[in-house]
Amino acid sequence: MNRRALLRGMGAMTLAAASTSLLSACGGGTGAADTAEANASVKLPTHVPYTGVTPDLPAGENLLPGFYRYPENLVTAIRDKPGAGAGRVAILVDTFTPVPPPLSGNAYWQALNDRVGAELAFNIVPDSDYSTKVTTTIAGGDLPDIVMLPSWTPDLPRVLRAKFADLTPYLSGDAVKEYPFLANIPRFSWLPMVANGGIHGLPTPRASIGEIMFVRDDLVAERSLNPKPTSHAEFVELCEGLTDAKAGRWALGDTGLGGGGALLFLLESFGVPNGWSENNGRFTNAVETEEYTEALAALVDMVGKGLFHPDTFSATFQQGRDWFGTGKIAMKVDGYAAWDILLGTYPGIDVGGVLAPAHDGNGAGRHFTGKGSFAVTGIKKGDEKRVRQMLAIANWMAAPFGTTEHLFRKFGVDGVDHVMRDGVPALTSAGETNVKIPMQYLVDQPAILGPGDRAVVDKQYAYHKEVAPLLVPDPTVGLYSPVNASRGSVLSKTLNNARSEIVRGNQPVSGWADVVRQWRSSGGDQVRGEFEKAYAQQ
């Protein structure tokens, strides 16, 4: 994962410390308990893909559709104001960009409220503070109408059961068709919403491709290096060619100690499972495999060779992006959507993706499938009318590409917040400031490529097409382990601390086996057993 993973790992530890008081505040809740048996019987929302626009590049198995430009004639998909009668709608959401101006000084926000027909009272919290905010909000008595709940929220199923509405009657099976743009979200993204024998949240859909090792193709070409390594040795050669410490340039700037980073790429290269692997109903965690130890040793070796920026261990996520954009580092693992963000933030650079090769040169490596949803968006318990009002607003937020609602949500008002250039919207200075309300972290349309420069979209599509057959899923997505929910962050902390000491050179790689044994005896084996039971009852 990217910087979000690192911050989420830190946030999980903070939340774990507060989980006792948080869960006491939640109480027991009502409805079915979260069990494998209850969840196995849940009927997910019927998937009804939106067909109102034809992509320039077709979708396929694990392959996103590509668009070069917006259609000339956009469709207004929702005639009525979805929030009519809802009044004030309090919303708590995370953000990874500067907080936009408040409602009183934000013309876009004012126009948004007018279009929705409700007062959307966003409480937009910077990511670095979100763990504290969401903890105190859940533990307190004044819950917003809509809350973005990170996946690391301790004992999330119990929190959902106690504080948030059971959405099963409104969304299960064909019931979701009342909200056609929620029905447009694929099954893959709904799986993590299952808890307590029902559907207890809305997904923020994400592509199956997950994270990418981005590379500055212009720097690779400038040095006449091999852009497509076919083994770990060739990948190290590429990194060495991109590193010139005297000139202030290094290949990498994130080891991945908090998740993602170079370690993620090496795990894929060495054939490590994506979190867990399943064989005939038996589960094995990635950290238990010999391949994981080999990948960890490879990372230690690369750090020792000086291939990472010297401030790697103290850098923030944004520093890493700035290093990449300014050429101080040439490769960076980030979410798939960062491809467009990097190009838009740092004009003149050429961005590509590196596929993880099999470490021994024997064919392609693998690519870890993402989780399907960025977070779980909960709707506060209320009467049926209130819940349906919130779902109608969420349905509007999920309006797909090709609709006027989508264009407005992403780019604001034409001529004010953006201007159209060859069918592609470009934000104005006002739009850059105002159109930063992070609705995409609440609910969104399924991911697409583009719209944008044809050469860029073609390049992205070609990369995705190569990755699609290499995807390896995590078999525990959609499964529930009580021990993992209540103690997962503590167990992860044991692994994270030891891994950090090893990568920093303070402990030998040979000590990893003892760390894994401690993890197993402290609860890892219990988590395994619970996942196996849940898997058998699917």
Side-chain angles (χ1 to χ4, degrees):
M1 294 176 283
N2 53 25
R3 61 131 173 196
R4 301 170 189 172
L6 176 59
L7 293 172
R8 276 170 177 28
M10 296 167 63
M13 297 170 200
T14 303
L15 282 168
S19 61
T20 300
S21 60
L22 186 154
L23 293 175
S24 296
C26 284
T30 59
D34 198 76
T35 65
E37 295 89 344
N39 293 339
S41 62
V42 175
K43 188 173 184 179
L44 293 175
T46 301
H47 183 213
V48 185
Y50 178 70
T51 58
V53 63
T54 302
D56 298 294
L57 299 170
E61 183 71 22
N62 293 315
L63 181 60
L64 300 180
F67 296 89
Y68 299 138
R69 60 188 59 82
Y70 270 84
E72 290 186 8
N73 298 311
L74 298 176
V75 174
T76 298
I78 301 174
R79 296 291 177 180
D80 299 327
K81 295 187 176 185
R88 185 177 187 274
V89 178
I91 301 172
L92 178 62
V93 65
D94 200 346
T95 188
F96 299 91
T97 60
V99 175
L103 176 63
S104 60
N106 191 325
Y108 168 75
W109 193 340
Q110 295 166 14
L112 171 65
N113 284 354
D114 180 64
R115 293 197 180 208
V116 172
E119 181 190 345
L120 301 183
F122 288 94
N123 186 353
I124 303 170
V125 181
D127 187 66
S128 58
D129 300 324
Y130 199 70
S131 62
T132 301
K133 184 62 178 180
V134 77
T135 302
T136 55
T137 298
I138 293 172
D142 187 15
L143 194 69
D145 295 283
I146 301 174
V147 180
M148 191 209 91
L149 295 163
S151 58
W152 41 253
T153 304
D155 213 350
L156 179 57
R158 184 174 170 186
V159 171
L160 290 168
R161 180 185 176 199
K163 296 278 190 174
F164 296 93
D166 180 358
L167 303 179
T168 312
Y170 313 102
L171 301 176
S172 180
D174 287 348
V176 75
K177 293 180 180 179
E178 185 172 340
Y179 310 98
F181 301 137
L182 298 181
N184 184 43
I185 298 174
R187 181 178 186 274
F188 173 64
S189 295
W190 284 105
L191 284 172
M193 303 303 109
V194 174
N196 309 304
I199 300 167
H200 278 260
L202 299 173
T204 47
R206 294 295 183 264
S208 57
I209 195 171
E211 313 289 330
I212 295 175
M213 174 64 88
F214 290 107
V215 61
R216 285 284 302 272
D217 275 348
D218 50 335
L219 299 181
V220 173
E222 177 184 291
R223 303 181 188 193
S224 301
L225 300 172
N226 175 16
K228 294 186 177 182
T230 59
S231 67
H232 175 65
E234 289 188 3
F235 175 66
V236 172
E237 288 178 8
L238 173 61
C239 292
E240 291 173 334
L242 290 167
T243 299
D244 183 350
K246 291 182 179 180
R249 293 184 174 185
W250 293 267
L252 298 154
D254 180 6
T255 58
L257 292 180
L263 181 58
L264 173 70
F265 185 83
L266 295 175
L267 295 177
E268 294 172 335
S269 182
F270 280 78
V272 177
N274 181 6
W276 293 82
S277 65
E278 178 274 324
N279 184 23
N280 294 323
R282 303 295 295 175
F283 280 60
T284 301
N285 193 281
V287 300
E288 302 175 90
T289 65
E290 292 182 9
E291 292 82 2
Y292 192 99
T293 304
E294 292 171 354
L296 190 59
L299 178 60
V300 171
D301 178 68
M302 292 175 64
V303 171
K305 290 180 183 293
L307 303 179
F308 288 82
H309 191 289
D311 295 331
T312 287
F313 293 114
S314 61
T316 65
F317 170 80
Q318 190 55 50
Q319 279 181 297
R321 275 195 175 170
D322 288 340
W323 290 345
F324 183 88
T326 57
K328 290 184 178 180
I329 63 172
M331 288 187 284
K332 185 186 191 314
V333 171
D334 208 331
Y336 67 93
W339 199 317
D340 290 329
I341 295 172
L342 293 167
L343 288 173
T345 306
Y346 309 99
I349 70 174
D350 185 12
V351 177
V354 180
L355 292 173
H359 75 283
D360 57 3
N362 187 23
R366 51 176 50 187
H367 192 98
F368 292 164
T369 305
K371 302 298 184 183
S373 181
F374 175 77
V376 176
T377 295
I379 294 176
K380 184 175 71 172
K381 288 183 177 181
D383 59 30
E384 179 177 344
K385 179 181 179 181
R386 187 66 174 175
V387 172
R388 287 193 179 278
Q389 286 173 330
M390 299 305 104
L391 288 173
I393 292 171
N395 181 69
W396 185 92
M397 291 182 182
F401 178 81
T403 64
T404 58
E405 293 83 359
H406 177 275
L407 178 62
F408 173 79
R409 188 174 79 250
K410 299 291 187 181
F411 296 98
V413 178
D414 187 13
V416 178
D417 300 304
H418 74 268
V419 292
M420 277 288 186
R421 297 171 182 164
D422 297 325
V424 178
L427 288 172
T428 62
S429 57
E432 289 282 2
T433 301
N434 291 338
V435 188
K436 295 294 183 182
I437 297 176
M439 288 176 280
Q440 70 273 22
Y441 300 129
L442 296 168
V443 65
D444 204 350
Q445 68 156 11
I448 61 173
L449 297 176
D453 180 84
R454 182 173 186 139
V456 172
V457 176
D458 284 345
K459 188 175 185 178
Q460 293 172 333
Y461 189 79
Y463 177 84
H464 279 241
K465 198 169 185 178
E466 284 190 89
V467 167
L470 306 178
L471 288 174
V472 176
D474 178 350
T476 66
V477 172
L479 302 181
Y480 177 62
S481 157
V483 171
N484 190 55
S486 61
R487 296 175 52 205
S489 60
V490 176
L491 294 173
S492 294
K493 184 177 180 180
T494 299
L495 297 173
N496 292 343
N497 288 347
R499 185 168 52 225
S500 176
E501 290 298 294
I502 290 171
V503 174
R504 292 170 187 266
N506 298 329
Q507 294 293 332
V509 176
S510 59
W512 183 247
D514 289 335
V515 176
V516 173
R517 279 191 286 270
Q518 180 184 351
W519 169 82
R520 291 186 58 182
S521 62
S522 299
D525 282 342
Q526 290 177 272
V527 174
R528 180 202 326 281
E530 290 172 348
F531 276 141
E532 288 175 349
K533 180 181 178 181
Y535 181 82
Q537 294 171 331
Q538 287 188 118

